[in-house]
Amino acid sequence: MGRIGEVQTPVATRDALARGRLRASLVPDLLVEARRIVNTVIAGWHGRRKRGIGENFWQFRPYVEGDASRIDWRRSARDDHTYVRDREWEAAHTVWLWSDPSPSMLYKSAGAGVSKESRALVLTLALAELLSRSGERIAWPGLTDPFTARNGAERIAAQLSHAGEMPAKPDLAAIRRFCDIVIVSDFLDPVEETMAWLDVLARHGVRAHLIEVADPAEETFPYAGRTEFTDPETGDKLTAGRAETLKDEYRLLYAARRQELAGWCKRLGWSFTVNHTDRLASEALVRVHMAMTADSSRPGLTAGGSHAGLTAGGLAEKVVT
């Protein structure tokens, strides 16, 4: 049996300079891909509109007793109802964006078109492009301060190209209430560790949108025979004499990890989206857009599908015949 998947890097991933050069070589092409995807979804994208202080008309709505808004008598004269005119809130909103740079994101199976790292960066840059066009402030924790610019994706791409070794997890303590954050990762760490890391966002009243990028082999576990698995995070190895005997237990643990994290997000009013690397990136963009335009009081959107030690998810593997 041939290789089912492998880490996508021609250089030693533990070397900070090599990782930086690899990321820098990827970013220009990924920015082009992100913009191509944006052009396929931009027709349905609009700002996260809400009623408030501004110059632009938003909508008419029925008048209710005690409403302090000004009645629009011209519109009300058209039928038997009384209407008020709402204006659109025009203050820019801050959205933080982060893509996981950990070694497990380099995994790509034969059934996937791209590595998890490539898909995560494309999603992040595409969101930066869409949000910039909507006039929102965007930022990358630990890399940029919030800024507003029409070329926001290009500016973030340039920062990523010149960045040194990226931390495994950025400090989120500076992100405050009324902001959104989009986190793109494979979330293969133990769920308790992920929750502990993100808990500061919940305490600060930040609304988070988690996108889990998954390789199809991580869910189906298509391994059989004598197989050696390597954990890209630690280098630890596990040799299975008959890998197929691990399939059922592995898939239960993998699904349980995802379900627990998705359920936790739903209770917090956050969104949780799964995007597979053999599917279109635009599918995740549409779901995140729906979650970001939803009222923050509503529960987040969830999409179903345990990283304890070695797992098949995100592993480099070779089959020994």
Side-chain angles (χ1 to χ4, degrees), residues 54-123:
E55 297 296 328
N56 296 324
F57 167 75
W58 177 20
Q59 66 178 4
F60 290 114
R61 60 181 175 82
Y63 171 82
V64 294
E65 187 175 356
D67 198 329
S69 301
R70 186 173 181 177
I71 295 174
D72 190 288
W73 295 108
R74 184 185 296 274
R75 174 65 184 85
S76 301
R78 297 180 189 174
D79 52 43
D80 296 332
H81 300 284
T82 303
Y83 293 92
V84 296
R85 174 188 289 262
D86 281 339
R87 293 191 176 107
E88 183 179 357
W89 180 269
E90 294 180 344
H93 188 69
T94 299
V95 181
W96 295 79
L97 305 168
W98 183 77
S99 173
D100 189 348
S102 62
S104 70
M105 297 292 289
L106 293 167
Y107 182 74
K108 173 185 174 295
S109 72
V114 295
S115 69
K116 293 187 292 181
E117 180 186 48
S118 293
R119 174 55 56 84
L121 283 170
V122 164
L123 285 170

Side-chain angles (χ1 to χ4, degrees), residues 15 23 43-44 68-69 77 86 121 131 148 165 188 216 240 279 287 306:
D15 184 87
R23 189 190 315 114
S69 301
D86 281 339
L121 283 170
L131 292 164
T148 303
E165 185 176 12
L188 290 180
R279 301 285 299 175
R287 290 186 62 86
S306 170

